[in-house]
Amino acid sequence: MKVRYVSLLLIALLFSFNNSFAQAKKNNTPNIILILADDMGKECLGTYGGTYKTPNLDKLASEGLKFNYGFSQPLCTPSRVQIMTGKYNYKNYVEFGYLDPKQKTFAHLVKDAGYKTCIAGKWQLGANNKLPAHFGFDQYCLWQLVYPRDQGERYAKPLIEQDGKTLSSTDNDYGPDIFTNYILDFIEKNKDNKFLAYYPMALVHDPFLPTPDSKSWKTGPEARHKRDTANFRDMVAYTDKNVGQIIKKLKDLGIYENTVIIFTGDNGTGKSVVTQLKDGSYIKGGKGLTIDRGHHVPLIVNYGSNRYKVHQTDDLVDFTDILATIADAAQVKVPVDWNTDGNSIFPQIKGEKGSPRQWIFSHYTPIHSKESDKHSARFFRNHRYKLYHDGRFYDLVKDIEETQSIGEGQGSPEAESARKLFKEEFAKLPAWKFGDPGQPKYVLPGLESQRTSETKGE
């Protein structure tokens, strides 16, 4: 009897220890908010030299850490697939507007670690309302889930699906406000839990329409649907306003100090937008292009106050790094059989040195349209040099628009050293040539498309 009592006591103590250990680990891991602006190159933010009004993001950069060399894919679906799965597109990209249902995401990782998860904003990764849960999200509030773009837009009078229901809306409703308020409510409800909120924003993608802060919005419902590129400035400002609301909520709830905020953009700015910089120069949007302005995006992170000795870094980052970073923050291991590619930047987010990568890689095959597909390419690049799969090689300091390829052996010793490194990395990849298809498309039972019509809108 005594032995049995001692055994039960030991079991109870062990159970208590395990619970205490799990609770301690939970308390030591931060909340995570990942914000992905739609069609926003780095030139749009004041902290990167832009002339639009972005005080909240500029402050986040001045108090946090700004990455000067953050890179997405040149188009939205390739970027979204890459950032969510931590893999280069040649491993799992099927087609535009689709995420392979066999893939695992950063939401799966943190959900298994006890985090509450939500996604709000733009979906466009498969037309079935069971998919957000399938990919690891407890809650959702999304545009372009079941309904395609031709049935309803994302701004005034938006067509939004939320947790299994289609929201009713009028011309007085504004999609970005609905998404932001959903995120704010999720944060409020989970302030005592660990949570991950993924906000793939609707802004600042075309159509370029007024925001509730635009003068024309106040003239009536008809004006709210009138397209004008001049509205882009207000849309950037409204993006910044939405981010500011999230930061304020975290501070009001007293959880800002234990929350990692990551803000970035999914690709370059729309081609119809020309942005003036503070130095008087202009940058034309490069969305869909493999040149620098097509995939060089803002990347700003923050983890509480007074953490950083310096507030900007030239470390190279690409979108495969985000899943690795989230796993690192949540103190979970990425399963080896996930076959991911990223390099965690959580040390840098904590204010440490980290282990920066030597290059970034892009496998870009949008499988979208003749216009975008003609830009399909593979390339390696670092801060200065870039090598394509077909041998084109550029010095991006002297030739940012890639107008004159440098012939083999014709570059400086530094350039030829970079070329040699990139060629060695290319040799490690599976074969690929222009025009090759994406990965096979699988549709799992119960996740078939629920759409009555299909469009290829971006």
Side-chain angles (χ1 to χ4, degrees), residues 71-80 82 88-90 265-268 288-289 294-297 318-319 360-365 377 379:
F71 297 96
S72 65
Q73 291 287 80
L75 200 64
C76 54
T77 301
S79 282
R80 290 158 201 273
Q82 189 157 303
Y88 292 119
N89 282 172
Y90 73 88
D266 70 344
N267 48 245
L289 306 177
H295 73 130
H296 200 163
V297 292
D318 73 29
F319 270 20
I360 68 105
F361 168 68
S362 178
H363 173 99
Y364 175 58
T365 309
F379 60 83

PDB file of all heavy atoms in Angstrom, residues 71-80 82 88-90 265-268 288-289 294-297 318-319 360-365 377 379:
ATOM      1  N   PHE A  71      13.040  40.120 -49.566  1.00  0.00           N
ATOM      2  CA  PHE A  71      12.588  39.762 -50.911  1.00  0.00           C
ATOM      3  C   PHE A  71      11.435  38.764 -50.875  1.00  0.00           C
ATOM      4  O   PHE A  71      11.480  37.738 -50.194  1.00  0.00           O
ATOM      5  CB  PHE A  71      13.742  39.162 -51.727  1.00  0.00           C
ATOM      6  CG  PHE A  71      14.860  40.136 -51.952  1.00  0.00           C
ATOM      7  CD1 PHE A  71      15.965  40.148 -51.119  1.00  0.00           C
ATOM      8  CD2 PHE A  71      14.787  41.061 -52.977  1.00  0.00           C
ATOM      9  CE1 PHE A  71      16.997  41.050 -51.312  1.00  0.00           C
ATOM     10  CE2 PHE A  71      15.814  41.975 -53.181  1.00  0.00           C
ATOM     11  CZ  PHE A  71      16.922  41.972 -52.345  1.00  0.00           C
ATOM     12  N   SER A  72      10.403  39.090 -51.639  1.00  0.00           N
ATOM     13  CA  SER A  72       9.260  38.212 -51.861  1.00  0.00           C
ATOM     14  C   SER A  72       9.446  37.509 -53.204  1.00  0.00           C
ATOM     15  O   SER A  72      10.518  37.557 -53.795  1.00  0.00           O
ATOM     16  CB  SER A  72       7.980  39.049 -51.895  1.00  0.00           C
ATOM     17  OG  SER A  72       8.016  39.930 -53.023  1.00  0.00           O
ATOM     18  N   GLN A  73       8.379  36.904 -53.703  1.00  0.00           N
ATOM     19  CA  GLN A  73       8.297  36.500 -55.094  1.00  0.00           C
ATOM     20  C   GLN A  73       7.673  37.668 -55.868  1.00  0.00           C
ATOM     21  O   GLN A  73       7.072  38.563 -55.265  1.00  0.00           O
ATOM     22  CB  GLN A  73       7.442  35.243 -55.238  1.00  0.00           C
ATOM     23  CG  GLN A  73       8.090  33.988 -54.648  1.00  0.00           C
ATOM     24  CD  GLN A  73       9.232  33.493 -55.505  1.00  0.00           C
ATOM     25  OE1 GLN A  73      10.350  34.017 -55.440  1.00  0.00           O
ATOM     26  NE2 GLN A  73       8.964  32.493 -56.308  1.00  0.00           N
ATOM     27  N   PRO A  74       7.780  37.695 -57.198  1.00  0.00           N
ATOM     28  CA  PRO A  74       7.269  38.853 -57.939  1.00  0.00           C
ATOM     29  C   PRO A  74       5.748  38.946 -58.076  1.00  0.00           C
ATOM     30  O   PRO A  74       5.244  39.939 -58.584  1.00  0.00           O
ATOM     31  CB  PRO A  74       7.921  38.691 -59.327  1.00  0.00           C
ATOM     32  CG  PRO A  74       9.126  37.835 -59.096  1.00  0.00           C
ATOM     33  CD  PRO A  74       8.684  36.878 -58.040  1.00  0.00           C
ATOM     34  N   LEU A  75       5.006  37.912 -57.656  1.00  0.00           N
ATOM     35  CA  LEU A  75       3.555  37.911 -57.807  1.00  0.00           C
ATOM     36  C   LEU A  75       2.924  37.264 -56.583  1.00  0.00           C
ATOM     37  O   LEU A  75       3.566  36.480 -55.877  1.00  0.00           O
ATOM     38  CB  LEU A  75       3.159  37.154 -59.077  1.00  0.00           C
ATOM     39  CG  LEU A  75       1.761  37.425 -59.660  1.00  0.00           C
ATOM     40  CD1 LEU A  75       1.623  38.867 -60.129  1.00  0.00           C
ATOM     41  CD2 LEU A  75       1.478  36.467 -60.816  1.00  0.00           C
ATOM     42  N   CYS A  76       1.621  37.547 -56.369  1.00  0.00           N
ATOM     43  CA  CYS A  76       0.990  37.234 -55.088  1.00  0.00           C
ATOM     44  C   CYS A  76       0.918  35.754 -54.738  1.00  0.00           C
ATOM     45  O   CYS A  76       1.387  35.353 -53.668  1.00  0.00           O
ATOM     46  CB  CYS A  76      -0.391  37.870 -55.002  1.00  0.00           C
ATOM     47  SG  CYS A  76      -1.500  37.481 -56.349  1.00  0.00           S
ATOM     48  N   THR A  77       0.328  34.895 -55.575  1.00  0.00           N
ATOM     49  CA  THR A  77       0.213  33.490 -55.174  1.00  0.00           C
ATOM     50  C   THR A  77       1.577  32.841 -54.951  1.00  0.00           C
ATOM     51  O   THR A  77       1.762  32.143 -53.941  1.00  0.00           O
ATOM     52  CB  THR A  77      -0.606  32.667 -56.184  1.00  0.00           C
ATOM     53  OG1 THR A  77      -1.911  33.227 -56.309  1.00  0.00           O
ATOM     54  CG2 THR A  77      -0.749  31.232 -55.717  1.00  0.00           C
ATOM     55  N   PRO A  78       2.554  33.005 -55.840  1.00  0.00           N
ATOM     56  CA  PRO A  78       3.872  32.443 -55.543  1.00  0.00           C
ATOM     57  C   PRO A  78       4.418  32.882 -54.180  1.00  0.00           C
ATOM     58  O   PRO A  78       4.996  32.078 -53.450  1.00  0.00           O
ATOM     59  CB  PRO A  78       4.736  32.956 -56.696  1.00  0.00           C
ATOM     60  CG  PRO A  78       3.775  33.105 -57.838  1.00  0.00           C
ATOM     61  CD  PRO A  78       2.512  33.598 -57.198  1.00  0.00           C
ATOM     62  N   SER A  79       4.207  34.162 -53.838  1.00  0.00           N
ATOM     63  CA  SER A  79       4.670  34.662 -52.541  1.00  0.00           C
ATOM     64  C   SER A  79       3.905  34.033 -51.387  1.00  0.00           C
ATOM     65  O   SER A  79       4.488  33.645 -50.364  1.00  0.00           O
ATOM     66  CB  SER A  79       4.518  36.187 -52.473  1.00  0.00           C
ATOM     67  OG  SER A  79       5.549  36.825 -53.186  1.00  0.00           O
ATOM     68  N   ARG A  80       2.597  33.930 -51.523  1.00  0.00           N
ATOM     69  CA  ARG A  80       1.772  33.414 -50.427  1.00  0.00           C
ATOM     70  C   ARG A  80       2.048  31.944 -50.161  1.00  0.00           C
ATOM     71  O   ARG A  80       2.079  31.494 -49.014  1.00  0.00           O
ATOM     72  CB  ARG A  80       0.293  33.673 -50.741  1.00  0.00           C
ATOM     73  CG  ARG A  80      -0.047  35.149 -50.668  1.00  0.00           C
ATOM     74  CD  ARG A  80      -1.299  35.510 -51.468  1.00  0.00           C
ATOM     75  NE  ARG A  80      -1.266  36.933 -51.751  1.00  0.00           N
ATOM     76  CZ  ARG A  80      -1.742  37.865 -50.917  1.00  0.00           C
ATOM     77  NH1 ARG A  80      -2.311  37.505 -49.798  1.00  0.00           N
ATOM     78  NH2 ARG A  80      -1.654  39.137 -51.239  1.00  0.00           N
ATOM     79  N   GLN A  82       4.875  30.476 -50.780  1.00  0.00           N
ATOM     80  CA  GLN A  82       6.225  30.398 -50.225  1.00  0.00           C
ATOM     81  C   GLN A  82       6.271  30.814 -48.763  1.00  0.00           C
ATOM     82  O   GLN A  82       6.899  30.146 -47.937  1.00  0.00           O
ATOM     83  CB  GLN A  82       7.168  31.273 -51.055  1.00  0.00           C
ATOM     84  CG  GLN A  82       8.637  31.114 -50.699  1.00  0.00           C
ATOM     85  CD  GLN A  82       9.546  31.515 -51.844  1.00  0.00           C
ATOM     86  OE1 GLN A  82       9.460  30.987 -52.945  1.00  0.00           O
ATOM     87  NE2 GLN A  82      10.423  32.469 -51.603  1.00  0.00           N
ATOM     88  N   TYR A  88      10.672  26.840 -51.440  1.00  0.00           N
ATOM     89  CA  TYR A  88      10.763  27.459 -52.753  1.00  0.00           C
ATOM     90  C   TYR A  88       9.704  26.860 -53.672  1.00  0.00           C
ATOM     91  O   TYR A  88       9.315  25.690 -53.533  1.00  0.00           O
ATOM     92  CB  TYR A  88      12.169  27.290 -53.321  1.00  0.00           C
ATOM     93  CG  TYR A  88      13.204  28.083 -52.559  1.00  0.00           C
ATOM     94  CD1 TYR A  88      14.268  27.457 -51.913  1.00  0.00           C
ATOM     95  CD2 TYR A  88      13.083  29.469 -52.452  1.00  0.00           C
ATOM     96  CE1 TYR A  88      15.203  28.195 -51.191  1.00  0.00           C
ATOM     97  CE2 TYR A  88      14.009  30.210 -51.731  1.00  0.00           C
ATOM     98  CZ  TYR A  88      15.066  29.572 -51.113  1.00  0.00           C
ATOM     99  OH  TYR A  88      15.973  30.310 -50.394  1.00  0.00           O
ATOM    100  N   ASN A  89       9.240  27.659 -54.607  1.00  0.00           N
ATOM    101  CA  ASN A  89       8.080  27.296 -55.419  1.00  0.00           C
ATOM    102  C   ASN A  89       8.257  26.019 -56.241  1.00  0.00           C
ATOM    103  O   ASN A  89       7.267  25.349 -56.558  1.00  0.00           O
ATOM    104  CB  ASN A  89       7.708  28.442 -56.350  1.00  0.00           C
ATOM    105  CG  ASN A  89       6.939  29.572 -55.678  1.00  0.00           C
ATOM    106  OD1 ASN A  89       6.719  30.607 -56.275  1.00  0.00           O
ATOM    107  ND2 ASN A  89       6.533  29.384 -54.432  1.00  0.00           N
ATOM    108  N   TYR A  90       9.476  25.656 -56.591  1.00  0.00           N
ATOM    109  CA  TYR A  90       9.639  24.457 -57.426  1.00  0.00           C
ATOM    110  C   TYR A  90       9.223  23.188 -56.675  1.00  0.00           C
ATOM    111  O   TYR A  90       8.954  22.153 -57.282  1.00  0.00           O
ATOM    112  CB  TYR A  90      11.074  24.327 -57.959  1.00  0.00           C
ATOM    113  CG  TYR A  90      12.127  23.927 -56.950  1.00  0.00           C
ATOM    114  CD1 TYR A  90      12.390  22.578 -56.691  1.00  0.00           C
ATOM    115  CD2 TYR A  90      12.881  24.884 -56.279  1.00  0.00           C
ATOM    116  CE1 TYR A  90      13.371  22.200 -55.779  1.00  0.00           C
ATOM    117  CE2 TYR A  90      13.858  24.516 -55.370  1.00  0.00           C
ATOM    118  CZ  TYR A  90      14.095  23.181 -55.118  1.00  0.00           C
ATOM    119  OH  TYR A  90      15.063  22.819 -54.212  1.00  0.00           O
ATOM    120  N   GLY A 265       5.532  42.962 -47.693  1.00  0.00           N
ATOM    121  CA  GLY A 265       4.652  43.061 -48.853  1.00  0.00           C
ATOM    122  C   GLY A 265       4.822  41.841 -49.735  1.00  0.00           C
ATOM    123  O   GLY A 265       5.890  41.226 -49.745  1.00  0.00           O
ATOM    124  N   ASP A 266       3.764  41.464 -50.485  1.00  0.00           N
ATOM    125  CA  ASP A 266       3.812  40.202 -51.222  1.00  0.00           C
ATOM    126  C   ASP A 266       4.540  40.280 -52.553  1.00  0.00           C
ATOM    127  O   ASP A 266       4.924  39.256 -53.120  1.00  0.00           O
ATOM    128  CB  ASP A 266       2.408  39.619 -51.409  1.00  0.00           C
ATOM    129  CG  ASP A 266       1.545  40.425 -52.369  1.00  0.00           C
ATOM    130  OD1 ASP A 266       1.875  41.586 -52.678  1.00  0.00           O
ATOM    131  OD2 ASP A 266       0.500  39.892 -52.807  1.00  0.00           O
ATOM    132  N   ASN A 267       4.719  41.475 -53.089  1.00  0.00           N
ATOM    133  CA  ASN A 267       5.482  41.670 -54.341  1.00  0.00           C
ATOM    134  C   ASN A 267       5.620  43.164 -54.591  1.00  0.00           C
ATOM    135  O   ASN A 267       5.179  43.986 -53.773  1.00  0.00           O
ATOM    136  CB  ASN A 267       4.809  40.980 -55.540  1.00  0.00           C
ATOM    137  CG  ASN A 267       3.323  41.241 -55.679  1.00  0.00           C
ATOM    138  OD1 ASN A 267       2.514  40.314 -55.546  1.00  0.00           O
ATOM    139  ND2 ASN A 267       2.935  42.486 -55.927  1.00  0.00           N
ATOM    140  N   GLY A 268       6.206  43.513 -55.712  1.00  0.00           N
ATOM    141  CA  GLY A 268       6.382  44.922 -56.035  1.00  0.00           C
ATOM    142  C   GLY A 268       5.058  45.638 -56.253  1.00  0.00           C
ATOM    143  O   GLY A 268       3.996  45.016 -56.418  1.00  0.00           O
ATOM    144  N   GLY A 288       5.189  41.530 -60.814  1.00  0.00           N
ATOM    145  CA  GLY A 288       5.240  40.500 -61.849  1.00  0.00           C
ATOM    146  C   GLY A 288       6.568  40.380 -62.555  1.00  0.00           C
ATOM    147  O   GLY A 288       6.787  39.420 -63.300  1.00  0.00           O
ATOM    148  N   LEU A 289       7.483  41.337 -62.316  1.00  0.00           N
ATOM    149  CA  LEU A 289       8.788  41.338 -62.984  1.00  0.00           C
ATOM    150  C   LEU A 289       9.850  40.769 -62.044  1.00  0.00           C
ATOM    151  O   LEU A 289       9.768  40.936 -60.825  1.00  0.00           O
ATOM    152  CB  LEU A 289       9.173  42.757 -63.399  1.00  0.00           C
ATOM    153  CG  LEU A 289       8.151  43.524 -64.249  1.00  0.00           C
ATOM    154  CD1 LEU A 289       8.651  44.937 -64.512  1.00  0.00           C
ATOM    155  CD2 LEU A 289       7.892  42.785 -65.565  1.00  0.00           C
ATOM    156  N   GLY A 294      10.413  44.355 -58.704  1.00  0.00           N
ATOM    157  CA  GLY A 294       9.340  43.384 -58.729  1.00  0.00           C
ATOM    158  C   GLY A 294       9.242  42.534 -57.474  1.00  0.00           C
ATOM    159  O   GLY A 294       8.182  41.984 -57.184  1.00  0.00           O
ATOM    160  N   HIS A 295      10.368  42.436 -56.729  1.00  0.00           N
ATOM    161  CA  HIS A 295      10.339  41.548 -55.564  1.00  0.00           C
ATOM    162  C   HIS A 295      11.079  42.084 -54.339  1.00  0.00           C
ATOM    163  O   HIS A 295      11.172  41.396 -53.316  1.00  0.00           O
ATOM    164  CB  HIS A 295      10.896  40.163 -55.941  1.00  0.00           C
ATOM    165  CG  HIS A 295      12.379  40.121 -56.138  1.00  0.00           C
ATOM    166  ND1 HIS A 295      13.182  39.176 -55.539  1.00  0.00           N
ATOM    167  CD2 HIS A 295      13.211  40.900 -56.871  1.00  0.00           C
ATOM    168  CE1 HIS A 295      14.430  39.367 -55.891  1.00  0.00           C
ATOM    169  NE2 HIS A 295      14.483  40.402 -56.694  1.00  0.00           N
ATOM    170  N   HIS A 296      11.566  43.326 -54.402  1.00  0.00           N
ATOM    171  CA  HIS A 296      12.232  43.953 -53.263  1.00  0.00           C
ATOM    172  C   HIS A 296      11.160  44.669 -52.447  1.00  0.00           C
ATOM    173  O   HIS A 296      10.587  45.663 -52.894  1.00  0.00           O
ATOM    174  CB  HIS A 296      13.293  44.933 -53.754  1.00  0.00           C
ATOM    175  CG  HIS A 296      14.323  45.263 -52.734  1.00  0.00           C
ATOM    176  ND1 HIS A 296      15.540  45.835 -53.062  1.00  0.00           N
ATOM    177  CD2 HIS A 296      14.350  45.105 -51.385  1.00  0.00           C
ATOM    178  CE1 HIS A 296      16.250  46.011 -51.961  1.00  0.00           C
ATOM    179  NE2 HIS A 296      15.545  45.578 -50.934  1.00  0.00           N
ATOM    180  N   VAL A 297      10.871  44.156 -51.268  1.00  0.00           N
ATOM    181  CA  VAL A 297       9.705  44.615 -50.507  1.00  0.00           C
ATOM    182  C   VAL A 297      10.112  45.121 -49.129  1.00  0.00           C
ATOM    183  O   VAL A 297      11.205  44.833 -48.638  1.00  0.00           O
ATOM    184  CB  VAL A 297       8.674  43.469 -50.356  1.00  0.00           C
ATOM    185  CG1 VAL A 297       8.056  43.122 -51.702  1.00  0.00           C
ATOM    186  CG2 VAL A 297       9.306  42.232 -49.711  1.00  0.00           C
ATOM    187  N   ASP A 318      14.554  36.077 -47.537  1.00  0.00           N
ATOM    188  CA  ASP A 318      13.490  35.813 -48.497  1.00  0.00           C
ATOM    189  C   ASP A 318      12.326  35.133 -47.780  1.00  0.00           C
ATOM    190  O   ASP A 318      12.404  34.822 -46.591  1.00  0.00           O
ATOM    191  CB  ASP A 318      13.980  35.046 -49.734  1.00  0.00           C
ATOM    192  CG  ASP A 318      14.294  33.571 -49.507  1.00  0.00           C
ATOM    193  OD1 ASP A 318      13.678  32.945 -48.630  1.00  0.00           O
ATOM    194  OD2 ASP A 318      15.157  33.036 -50.229  1.00  0.00           O
ATOM    195  N   PHE A 319      11.223  34.915 -48.496  1.00  0.00           N
ATOM    196  CA  PHE A 319       9.991  34.499 -47.832  1.00  0.00           C
ATOM    197  C   PHE A 319      10.033  33.084 -47.259  1.00  0.00           C
ATOM    198  O   PHE A 319       9.203  32.732 -46.426  1.00  0.00           O
ATOM    199  CB  PHE A 319       8.808  34.652 -48.797  1.00  0.00           C
ATOM    200  CG  PHE A 319       8.140  35.995 -48.733  1.00  0.00           C
ATOM    201  CD1 PHE A 319       8.782  37.090 -48.203  1.00  0.00           C
ATOM    202  CD2 PHE A 319       6.843  36.166 -49.209  1.00  0.00           C
ATOM    203  CE1 PHE A 319       8.167  38.330 -48.133  1.00  0.00           C
ATOM    204  CE2 PHE A 319       6.209  37.393 -49.146  1.00  0.00           C
ATOM    205  CZ  PHE A 319       6.869  38.484 -48.609  1.00  0.00           C
ATOM    206  N   ILE A 360      19.838  34.997 -51.849  1.00  0.00           N
ATOM    207  CA  ILE A 360      18.442  34.591 -51.892  1.00  0.00           C
ATOM    208  C   ILE A 360      18.206  33.940 -53.254  1.00  0.00           C
ATOM    209  O   ILE A 360      18.899  34.240 -54.243  1.00  0.00           O
ATOM    210  CB  ILE A 360      17.451  35.749 -51.633  1.00  0.00           C
ATOM    211  CG1 ILE A 360      17.469  36.767 -52.770  1.00  0.00           C
ATOM    212  CG2 ILE A 360      17.745  36.420 -50.306  1.00  0.00           C
ATOM    213  CD1 ILE A 360      16.284  36.687 -53.678  1.00  0.00           C
ATOM    214  N   PHE A 361      17.245  33.026 -53.296  1.00  0.00           N
ATOM    215  CA  PHE A 361      16.937  32.286 -54.509  1.00  0.00           C
ATOM    216  C   PHE A 361      15.473  32.497 -54.855  1.00  0.00           C
ATOM    217  O   PHE A 361      14.621  32.628 -53.981  1.00  0.00           O
ATOM    218  CB  PHE A 361      17.210  30.800 -54.301  1.00  0.00           C
ATOM    219  CG  PHE A 361      16.669  29.910 -55.394  1.00  0.00           C
ATOM    220  CD1 PHE A 361      17.203  29.956 -56.675  1.00  0.00           C
ATOM    221  CD2 PHE A 361      15.622  29.032 -55.143  1.00  0.00           C
ATOM    222  CE1 PHE A 361      16.698  29.148 -57.686  1.00  0.00           C
ATOM    223  CE2 PHE A 361      15.117  28.210 -56.143  1.00  0.00           C
ATOM    224  CZ  PHE A 361      15.657  28.265 -57.419  1.00  0.00           C
ATOM    225  N   SER A 362      15.177  32.512 -56.158  1.00  0.00           N
ATOM    226  CA  SER A 362      13.790  32.589 -56.602  1.00  0.00           C
ATOM    227  C   SER A 362      13.557  31.614 -57.747  1.00  0.00           C
ATOM    228  O   SER A 362      14.296  31.609 -58.732  1.00  0.00           O
ATOM    229  CB  SER A 362      13.448  34.016 -57.069  1.00  0.00           C
ATOM    230  OG  SER A 362      12.110  34.082 -57.540  1.00  0.00           O
ATOM    231  N   HIS A 363      12.546  30.769 -57.576  1.00  0.00           N
ATOM    232  CA  HIS A 363      12.013  29.952 -58.663  1.00  0.00           C
ATOM    233  C   HIS A 363      10.636  30.529 -58.930  1.00  0.00           C
ATOM    234  O   HIS A 363       9.715  30.361 -58.134  1.00  0.00           O
ATOM    235  CB  HIS A 363      11.917  28.488 -58.246  1.00  0.00           C
ATOM    236  CG  HIS A 363      11.216  27.627 -59.276  1.00  0.00           C
ATOM    237  ND1 HIS A 363      11.905  26.842 -60.182  1.00  0.00           N
ATOM    238  CD2 HIS A 363       9.901  27.437 -59.543  1.00  0.00           C
ATOM    239  CE1 HIS A 363      11.028  26.203 -60.951  1.00  0.00           C
ATOM    240  NE2 HIS A 363       9.813  26.548 -60.584  1.00  0.00           N
ATOM    241  N   TYR A 364      10.492  31.229 -60.053  1.00  0.00           N
ATOM    242  CA  TYR A 364       9.271  31.997 -60.319  1.00  0.00           C
ATOM    243  C   TYR A 364       8.611  31.517 -61.598  1.00  0.00           C
ATOM    244  O   TYR A 364       9.106  31.764 -62.698  1.00  0.00           O
ATOM    245  CB  TYR A 364       9.625  33.483 -60.422  1.00  0.00           C
ATOM    246  CG  TYR A 364       8.474  34.383 -60.825  1.00  0.00           C
ATOM    247  CD1 TYR A 364       7.315  34.427 -60.061  1.00  0.00           C
ATOM    248  CD2 TYR A 364       8.565  35.189 -61.951  1.00  0.00           C
ATOM    249  CE1 TYR A 364       6.259  35.257 -60.425  1.00  0.00           C
ATOM    250  CE2 TYR A 364       7.517  36.028 -62.316  1.00  0.00           C
ATOM    251  CZ  TYR A 364       6.368  36.051 -61.548  1.00  0.00           C
ATOM    252  OH  TYR A 364       5.328  36.876 -61.907  1.00  0.00           O
ATOM    253  N   THR A 365       7.536  30.770 -61.453  1.00  0.00           N
ATOM    254  CA  THR A 365       6.735  30.307 -62.586  1.00  0.00           C
ATOM    255  C   THR A 365       5.269  30.531 -62.215  1.00  0.00           C
ATOM    256  O   THR A 365       4.624  29.646 -61.647  1.00  0.00           O
ATOM    257  CB  THR A 365       6.985  28.817 -62.879  1.00  0.00           C
ATOM    258  OG1 THR A 365       8.381  28.582 -62.987  1.00  0.00           O
ATOM    259  CG2 THR A 365       6.316  28.396 -64.176  1.00  0.00           C
ATOM    260  N   ALA A 377      11.329  32.460 -64.405  1.00  0.00           N
ATOM    261  CA  ALA A 377      12.791  32.410 -64.324  1.00  0.00           C
ATOM    262  C   ALA A 377      13.222  31.824 -62.991  1.00  0.00           C
ATOM    263  O   ALA A 377      12.446  31.795 -62.025  1.00  0.00           O
ATOM    264  CB  ALA A 377      13.388  33.805 -64.488  1.00  0.00           C
ATOM    265  N   PHE A 379      16.606  32.461 -60.387  1.00  0.00           N
ATOM    266  CA  PHE A 379      17.803  33.279 -60.212  1.00  0.00           C
ATOM    267  C   PHE A 379      18.285  33.234 -58.767  1.00  0.00           C
ATOM    268  O   PHE A 379      17.523  32.993 -57.835  1.00  0.00           O
ATOM    269  CB  PHE A 379      17.570  34.730 -60.639  1.00  0.00           C
ATOM    270  CG  PHE A 379      16.478  35.463 -59.883  1.00  0.00           C
ATOM    271  CD1 PHE A 379      16.715  36.050 -58.647  1.00  0.00           C
ATOM    272  CD2 PHE A 379      15.202  35.576 -60.420  1.00  0.00           C
ATOM    273  CE1 PHE A 379      15.722  36.731 -57.967  1.00  0.00           C
ATOM    274  CE2 PHE A 379      14.192  36.253 -59.753  1.00  0.00           C
ATOM    275  CZ  PHE A 379      14.462  36.833 -58.521  1.00  0.00           C
TER     276      PHE A 379
END
